[in-house]
Amino acid sequence: MSNAPGTGEAVLFWILGPLAVLGSLGLIFAKKAVHAALGMALTMIILGIFYIAQDAHFLGVIQVFVYTGAVMMLFLFVLMLVGVDSSDGLLETLKGQRLATAVLVLGLGGLLTAALGSVTYPEPAGVKSINEETGNVSAMAELIFGRYVWVFEVTSALLITAALGAMVLAHRERLGKGRNQRDWSKRRVLRGEYVAGLPAPGVYARHNAVDTPALLPDGTPTPLSVSRVLTARDQVTTPERYVEAEDRIAGQIEEDSSR
Amino acid sequence: MSALLTVAHGIPALLAEGKDNPSADFSDTPLWITVIKALFIFVYLLVSTLIVIWFERRVIGRMQQRPGPNRNGPFGLLQSLADGMKSMLKEDVRPKAADALVFTIAPLITATMCFIAFAIMPMGGEVNLFGHRTPLQLTDTPVAVLLVLAIAGVGIYGIVLAGWSSGSTYPLLGGLRASAQMISYEIAMGLSLVAVFLYSGSMSTSQIIGAQKNLWFIVPAFFSFFVYVITMTGETNRLPFDLAEGEGEIVGGYFTEYSGMRFAMFFLGEYINMFTVAALATTMFLGGPLAPPGIAAINDGMFNEGWWGLLWFTIKLWLFMFMFVWLRGSLPRVRYDQFMKFGWKFLIPATLVWVVLVAFFRGAQNGWLGEGGVNFFGRTFPVASLALVGVVAVGALIVGWWWDSRAAAKEAAAADAPQSSIDPFAGGHPVPPLPGQTLAEPTRTAAAIRSEAVTDKEAIRG
């Protein structure tokens, strides 16, 4: 039985192979984290297609299903929360880090090339005969639940332990009950401050928005009326423009005049 | 111990059955026929989408006692065509804050991935196509059903990336919701299909159809069907689970910033995904292209052969479509946290228990839990299965009794709790009840007496 790839497989490889390399380069060089994750997802999908082309159907589909569908999606889920505009700073935090990286990468590459270059492979058995005799999935199942059953069971126990550990460590139990609306209002009254609640953000005839602080009776803006998130983000505007505009209009009105 | 030994001996026997590889025979299918079949699937799906949009609007119209679209063409049939033209001619807007590349790729992912999964659906029996015997199925692999799930997993990227790349808050929320929702419901969906794999002994669609010749899997795997139907609604973002685009909460969700043809691609993707999950349900539980029982028996299974399968397949598909529309017409959207809780805390554990049960039934069918069977209506049921059903029924009764008694105790405790009731008009001015107080409904007579008293006072004053 010849194990040389057919024309179809060769065409598939020469189209998808460069794409996979491109995806992995994207993972390293993309500035935005989401673009990097997408490059990695592309590489994973193409790897899955390669497995399928080499008759390892189950492995290929599981590669797409698990890595692209679940693992990368979770990565993306976290990355999306980082924000659209954020990109990694290109400032070097460790001195001489790039040079060290280059040396190490070249060394590892040289080592791998030397080691892999001198390996002699036996004639590959090929999956095709197994696929036709026992079937791809059954043969896989026989190995997972037969020969390697302990390896798999121990690995799964380890993973479950790790997941539970992460949950236990990250989970914070609330000590006592949280305050509800009623408790808050009672507290306000007992302390005698802001009995009617905090002032609402500025309501002007011309500008009615949460980013404009309310004015106190003496005309000064009160920062209490704006959400502290907006203050932290530096997105609070000053009410002066609107006050001036109102003053201008007020100046035009004369006492005892009728229109 | 002896049971374990029989199991150990049984596995090679199962392997020897060799149900892994597809039973569909593609040996007489040249490449050009495959291309024709691919084209046929493409056209079939596009035409079905055009019809289902009209169908949905008409059926919902009937349910809400209005006619629905009825202006373009007979019965308004050309309405979806006009809508499609409109989205093609509309201006294509891209927000300034959007990530240009991903914003373009996202709808493309959704619109292309949805077509792929249909390749493994058996739409009919073997037919004669231009002198070649070929099954009405584009392709089949030993892992065909897993392929559908994997493709669905890639398809989610379209929605998630659309949400992220729009550079705006509501789409981002929609994208986050979509990724969380679809991943968690895909777990339950995959688990529900395990029962079918156990019964059919294969993941290839043609083998699964072959295994349903006697009995559709909706009967032995009824709970799986129930779970699958719920998850397929969640998976396709349809009401009552359309949280990723809930227009009452987050405007349009992930496609808020999309317009024109790019929006139309999401629209197309959603409807074709509906067809895909419905086709998978048809294949897994309703016998796919097999004729309904009764009709299948006519003339030695004449209606199970050839092109007839396409008819049965399409009818079953449209039953699911009607169900989708019916759900949309009658159910409100669920709350997001309740939806996730339902998926993780009910569907997944319940399906896990169900899969273990099915594994036992399957073992009993193979005779691993002891020989001996009982005959009912021409079928042989293993004694072990019947015993298992008995155990489950008794367990369900006990749990139900415990649940009921607990609920009754809770109710009694609630009834015993001191309830103070107030008369809202006691002080002459209406007062709302405080928490823990109940309102004593003022009676008409009491009001009348009081008003008399008031008039008396007036009289004295006067």
Side-chain angles (χ1 to χ4, degrees):
Chain A
M1 195 173 69
S2 148
N3 277 304
T7 335
E9 196 179 330
V11 170
L12 184 81
F13 177 79
W14 287 112
I15 293 173
L16 292 185
L19 274 179
V21 174
L22 217 69
S24 47
L25 287 180
L27 168 63
I28 300 172
F29 292 114
K31 279 186 194 165
K32 283 185 185 171
V34 171
H35 288 175
L38 281 186
M40 192 164 168
L42 179 71
T43 310
M44 298 249 194
I45 292 175
I46 292 176
L47 281 184
I49 295 174
F50 281 160
Y51 295 154
I52 293 174
Q54 293 180 342
D55 293 320
H57 300 134
F58 186 73
L59 185 63
V61 169
I62 289 298
Q63 162 88 15
V64 176
F65 191 24
V66 174
Y67 281 97
T68 320
V71 176
M72 283 314 295
M73 189 56 86
L74 287 182
F75 270 26
L76 208 61
F77 191 87
V78 175
L79 289 178
M80 274 171 32
L81 294 171
V82 175
V84 179
D85 299 323
S86 67
S87 52
D88 290 341
L90 294 175
L91 228 72
E92 235 173 305
T93 43
L94 292 173
K95 248 198 165 149
Q97 168 214 54
R98 285 184 194 200
L99 191 71
T101 314
V103 169
L104 284 178
V105 164
L106 284 180
L108 184 67
L111 211 65
L112 281 178
T113 324
L116 290 179
S118 60
V119 170
T120 50
Y121 294 102
E123 184 67 18
V127 199
K128 211 158 201 155
S129 58
I130 297 171
N131 280 356
E132 275 157 19
E133 279 160 28
T134 28
N136 192 285
V137 185
S138 298
M140 200 87 171
E142 215 176 2
L143 286 180
I144 293 177
F145 294 108
R147 193 165 157 195
Y148 297 113
V149 66
W150 280 108
V151 183
F152 270 88
E153 291 305 313
V154 170
T155 316
S156 64
L158 188 73
L159 285 177
I160 289 176
T161 317
L164 275 181
M167 273 172 67
V168 169
L169 290 179
H171 185 68
R172 195 167 57 99
E173 202 76 45
R174 185 184 262 286
L175 300 170
K177 240 180 83 202
R179 286 201 180 86
N180 56 19
Q181 200 178 2
R182 191 180 165 87
D183 298 334
W184 280 112
S185 85
K186 270 187 181 166
R187 198 172 94 131
R188 278 204 306 272
V189 174
L190 280 178
R191 293 195 170 184
E193 51 182 7
Y194 315 126
V195 174
L198 293 173
V203 179
Y204 302 89
R206 295 171 163 238
H207 198 74
N208 183 2
V210 287
D211 64 345
T212 324
L215 296 181
L216 292 174
D218 61 350
T220 52
T222 164
L224 279 174
S225 60
V226 194
S227 158
R228 65 195 150 91
V229 176
L230 291 181
T231 318
R233 281 196 204 151
D234 214 12
Q235 285 178 336
V236 180
T237 58
T238 53
E240 259 134 52
R241 306 187 268 162
Y242 313 109
V243 174
E244 277 168 16
E246 269 172 30
D247 284 349
R248 243 192 340 270
I249 295 168
Q252 289 167 3
I253 303 170
E254 287 164 25
E255 223 166 292
D256 288 337
S257 73
S258 60
R259 289 194 185 185
Chain B
M1 196 62 217
S2 63
L4 264 182
L5 275 179
T6 35
V7 169
H9 285 297
I11 290 171
L14 273 189
L15 285 177
E17 272 180 45
K19 276 182 155 181
D20 255 31
N21 289 324
S23 59
D25 183 16
F26 293 99
S27 57
D28 192 21
T29 311
L31 187 65
W32 59 273
I33 287 213
T34 307
V35 172
I36 288 178
K37 282 199 274 190
L39 200 69
F40 170 75
I41 289 178
F42 185 69
V43 173
Y44 181 85
L45 284 177
L46 278 186
V47 172
S48 300
T49 307
L50 278 183
I51 298 175
V52 84
I53 294 171
W54 167 83
F55 173 78
E56 177 168 29
R57 295 175 66 182
R58 286 290 282 201
V59 171
I60 284 198
R62 294 292 289 189
M63 286 176 178
Q64 297 169 349
Q65 305 191 344
R66 59 187 172 81
N70 59 356
R71 286 290 179 269
N72 291 310
F75 306 107
L77 261 169
L78 298 180
Q79 182 62 45
S80 353
L81 216 60
D83 287 346
M85 286 307 291
K86 188 186 81 169
S87 30
M88 250 185 267
L89 297 174
K90 274 216 158 186
E91 188 189 355
D92 194 18
V93 183
R94 182 162 58 78
K96 209 168 81 182
D99 185 306
L101 177 72
V102 182
F103 191 77
T104 313
I105 291 178
L108 290 177
I109 293 178
T110 306
T112 47
M113 283 303 145
C114 56
F115 284 100
I116 297 179
F118 231 82
I120 55 100
M121 303 295 175
M123 299 167 78
E126 269 199 0
V127 295
N128 227 335
L129 209 63
F130 306 108
H132 293 276
R133 288 293 291 170
T134 179
L136 267 183
Q137 179 178 10
L138 184 58
T139 181
D140 198 0
T141 78
V143 287
V145 180
L146 287 187
L147 186 82
V148 176
L149 294 179
I151 297 295
V154 177
I156 302 172
Y157 272 86
I159 291 177
V160 173
L161 291 178
W164 174 79
S165 67
S166 296
S168 132
T169 311
Y170 287 128
L172 184 68
L173 287 175
L176 285 174
R177 279 185 177 193
S179 63
Q181 159 181 352
M182 289 171 128
I183 286 176
S184 37
Y185 270 64
E186 206 169 286
I187 297 173
M189 183 184 246
L191 279 176
S192 74
L193 296 180
V194 169
V196 175
F197 299 153
L198 283 174
Y199 276 122
S200 65
S202 177
M203 289 191 274
S204 125
T205 43
S206 53
Q207 285 278 11
I208 290 173
I209 296 295
Q212 296 183 74
K213 280 237 157 74
N214 279 326
L215 183 68
W216 291 359
F217 283 146
I218 185 174
V219 179
F222 61 92
F223 185 75
S224 282
F225 179 72
F226 167 73
V227 172
Y228 182 84
V229 167
I230 294 174
T231 53
M232 80 181 192
T233 325
E235 188 75 10
T236 45
N237 271 324
R238 292 280 301 178
L239 264 167
F241 301 145
D242 68 336
L243 301 148
E245 52 195 79
E247 55 280 276
E249 303 152 16
I250 46 175
V251 189
Y254 57 91
F255 55 64
T256 305
E257 304 287 357
Y258 279 87
S259 56
M261 209 48 211
R262 290 193 232 221
F263 170 75
M265 283 189 200
F266 281 119
F267 207 69
L268 181 78
E270 182 182 323
Y271 279 92
I272 293 183
N273 271 333
M274 278 162 64
F275 277 110
T276 305
V277 290
L280 195 64
T282 307
T283 308
M284 303 296 278
F285 299 103
L286 295 186
L290 296 177
I295 298 179
I298 297 172
N299 201 3
D300 245 2
M302 178 182 84
F303 290 107
N304 262 343
E305 301 292 324
W307 290 99
W308 281 106
L310 193 59
L311 175 72
W312 309 128
F313 180 80
T314 310
I315 289 175
K316 290 169 191 174
L317 204 62
W318 279 87
L319 279 180
F320 279 106
M321 286 299 128
F322 178 73
M323 194 205 69
F324 271 126
V325 176
W326 193 4
L327 285 180
R328 187 182 156 188
S330 41
L331 290 179
R333 184 177 302 123
V334 298
R335 219 171 65 195
Y336 187 68
D337 59 324
Q338 290 173 338
F339 174 68
M340 292 306 263
K341 205 172 163 186
F342 180 65
W344 283 98
K345 296 197 173 166
F346 173 72
L347 284 184
I348 293 177
T351 322
L352 271 175
V353 171
W354 167 250
V355 166
V356 172
L357 267 181
V358 168
F360 272 99
F361 282 127
R362 196 66 180 81
Q365 229 175 35
N366 289 344
W368 295 347
L369 306 176
E371 305 292 328
V374 185
N375 274 313
F376 274 127
F377 308 111
R379 281 180 189 278
T380 313
F381 295 95
V383 175
S385 307
L386 296 178
L388 204 58
V389 170
V391 169
V392 171
V394 169
L397 274 179
I398 290 175
V399 170
W401 171 77
W402 170 77
W403 189 272
D404 267 3
S405 62
R406 208 181 63 154
K410 227 180 201 173
E411 214 165 89
D416 284 350
Q419 279 276 0
S420 62
S421 68
I422 59 157
D423 178 9
F425 287 99
H429 189 76
V431 176
L434 287 169
Q437 287 180 332
T438 51
L439 206 61
E441 281 299 325
T443 51
R444 277 165 183 274
T445 45
I449 291 165
R450 203 175 289 127
S451 64
E452 258 173 44
V454 170
T455 39
D456 279 355
K457 264 184 205 159
E458 298 274 321
I460 292 166
R461 235 181 255 155

